[in-house]
Amino acid sequence: MKTVRVLCCAAALVLSAANAAAQILIGQSADMSGPVAASVRETIAGSQLVIDHVNAQGGIHGEKVEVIRLDDGLDPKRSAENSRILIEDKKVIALLLNRGTPNALAVIPLLDKSGTPLIGPSTGAMSLHKPVQKLVFNVRSTYQREAEKAVLHLHTVSMQRIAVVQADDSFGKDAMEGAMKGFDKAGLKPVALALADRNKPDYATIVPKLTAANAQAVLWIGSGTAVTEGIKALRAAGSAAQVITLSNNAASGFIKELGSASGGVVVMQVLPSERAMAHPLIKEASDLAKAKGDIELSPALLEGFVATKVLVEALRRAGPKPTRAKLLAVLNDFRYDAGGGLEVGYSPQDHTGIDYVDLSIISGGRFKR
């Protein structure tokens, strides 16, 4: 009898250890050291709020969620290699919040080969929407919609001489298509168009084009420090032109990098204002942030928060011991309210995310609608 009891206790201990070790592995490759690291950190903070909350409640079907994060420095080649490691070596069942348009495009062959879903890529590239990428599930709106609305906003407030600085990459070209739709609707043309290297723009060439055109406003399509340093150079040249940029720069870190040049800069956003505490999504994020300590809400944080909520809900619906195939099946027939009527819906023919675009003005070191 003693032997039986010992064996039973040993079996129970083994089972307990197995349960404790059970986990769902998710992968993320993003820029944690390069030009958009500041906003990526905020996105990760929002994502981790959801992960920590879920794990504190016992995980999903008894399994804890762990996100393995690798730094790619915004280099598409590093993104592809990181994703290979995550998919093939770490055996993650999904990728989450990969940052950058060229970076997301670089990993699609790996997704297709392995059947690994990518949820909430932190980019609004139309190339991830049309044609439908069968393994990419977008959460945020497109850059084209943002850029179009940005130009129309400037036209509405009587700006006629609008210049554009465009990152010379797939992200910039994509956003420019939306901007041109806005110009066409407004009956305008850009008074100047300056192409900019993605990471190291030549401001000595770009800024004189803008000032020579006497631009009243500049739509600056770029990322992180490539934009903040450009705005500083524009102000140093004596230009008071209104500057508007896209939601990839909607982060508190972006404002801090701008410093004294931040006043009046307009930034597009793809989620409700982080100060709209009456909104259920914002209240939920705020409550979790307060419980974790001194975490400041920002648009970038909210993007990570919402994308991870979508992932968690899909994992719940996939049932115990989720696999890539189970998760993919759930996502291809998915309807979910992320909070306050922000609907996410997917089918095999449509992987579009939340249809929401707005803008905010940087004033007093904060985003203000």
Side-chain angles (χ1 to χ4, degrees):
M1 185 65 69
K2 285 184 178 179
T3 303
V4 173
R5 285 201 186 98
V6 170
L7 289 174
C8 287
C9 288
L13 286 171
V14 170
L15 183 60
S16 175
N19 285 340
Q23 59 185 350
I24 299 168
L25 294 180
I26 307 299
Q28 180 184 9
S29 176
D31 176 18
M32 301 169 201
S33 62
V36 297
S39 63
V40 167
R41 285 193 291 269
E42 293 174 36
T43 304
I44 289 173
S47 177
Q48 201 61 41
L49 284 178
V50 178
I51 299 296
D52 289 347
H53 179 63
V54 167
N55 287 342
Q57 294 180 319
I60 300 174
H61 302 297
E63 292 189 280
K64 299 295 179 72
V65 180
E66 179 185 347
V67 182
I68 303 172
R69 299 184 173 100
L70 300 179
D71 179 19
D72 59 34
L74 206 62
D75 180 347
K77 291 181 180 178
R78 288 173 63 185
S79 297
E81 176 59 15
N82 284 353
S83 299
R84 186 199 64 76
I85 292 169
L86 292 166
I87 291 169
E88 296 180 2
D89 299 344
K90 302 299 183 181
K91 308 299 183 186
V92 302
I93 68 169
L95 297 181
L96 174 70
L97 287 165
N98 287 27
R99 178 64 184 260
T101 300
N103 308 70
L105 294 174
V107 307
I108 286 177
L110 286 164
L111 305 181
D112 291 341
K113 177 183 177 182
S114 63
T116 307
L118 167 58
I119 299 169
S122 193
T123 166
M126 186 62 75
S127 53
L128 299 178
H129 291 254
K130 293 180 181 179
V132 174
Q133 299 291 343
K134 63 181 181 178
L135 276 303
V136 178
F137 294 86
N138 300 286
V139 174
R140 46 152 298 143
S141 187
T142 67
Y143 289 137
Q144 288 196 17
R145 283 205 63 219
E146 291 184 51
E148 178 182 349
K149 185 165 183 175
V151 173
L152 291 175
H153 164 75
L154 293 171
H155 175 62
T156 299
V157 296
S158 301
M159 300 286 187
Q160 301 293 315
R161 301 184 60 78
I162 305 169
V164 180
V165 179
Q166 177 207 314
D168 192 13
D169 62 7
S170 54
F171 155 60
K173 293 172 185 175
D174 179 68
M176 192 63 193
E177 286 191 37
M180 290 310 300
K181 291 176 185 176
F183 279 110
D184 289 343
K185 288 182 179 180
L188 299 173
K189 291 184 178 181
V191 294
L193 172 59
L195 295 179
D197 181 84
R198 187 184 194 201
N199 295 319
K200 296 181 179 179
D202 181 5
Y203 303 117
T205 300
I206 293 169
V207 170
K209 281 188 179 181
L210 306 179
T211 55
N214 193 26
Q216 295 172 293
V218 178
L219 170 59
W220 206 302
I221 302 170
S223 299
T225 54
V227 179
T228 56
E229 295 304 312
I231 294 173
K232 290 175 184 177
L234 183 64
R235 297 296 183 240
S239 173
Q242 173 79 73
V243 177
I244 190 165
T245 189
L246 303 185
S247 66
N248 60 309
N249 294 317
S252 297
F254 180 78
I255 300 176
K256 291 174 183 176
E257 287 175 1
L258 273 173
S260 61
S262 67
V265 175
V266 177
V267 183
M268 304 302 297
Q269 295 193 19
V270 290
L271 288 168
S273 169
E274 67 278 12
R275 293 184 304 284
M277 290 301 166
H279 195 287
L281 174 71
I282 307 305
K283 186 179 186 307
E284 178 188 6
S286 177
D287 289 346
L288 291 179
K290 287 177 181 176
K292 293 288 288 185
D294 188 21
I295 298 178
E296 180 185 3
L297 296 190
S298 71
L301 182 146
L302 291 174
E303 185 173 345
F305 186 80
V306 173
T308 309
K309 283 191 68 177
V310 171
L311 167 68
V312 165
E313 180 60 25
L315 288 170
R316 284 198 180 105
R317 297 184 193 183
K321 305 297 179 186
T323 63
R324 295 170 184 172
K326 287 180 180 178
L327 185 58
L328 184 59
V330 166
L331 286 166
N332 272 317
D333 185 15
F334 190 77
R335 292 290 180 276
Y336 175 57
D337 185 344
L342 293 173
E343 294 284 345
V344 181
Y346 304 128
S347 72
Q349 295 77 36
D350 186 1
H351 290 182
T352 301
I354 297 168
D355 187 17
Y356 186 99
V357 177
D358 207 338
L359 53 87
S360 61
I361 298 173
I362 298 175
S363 179
R366 299 189 67 181
F367 295 103
K368 294 187 177 182
R369 290 271 165 81

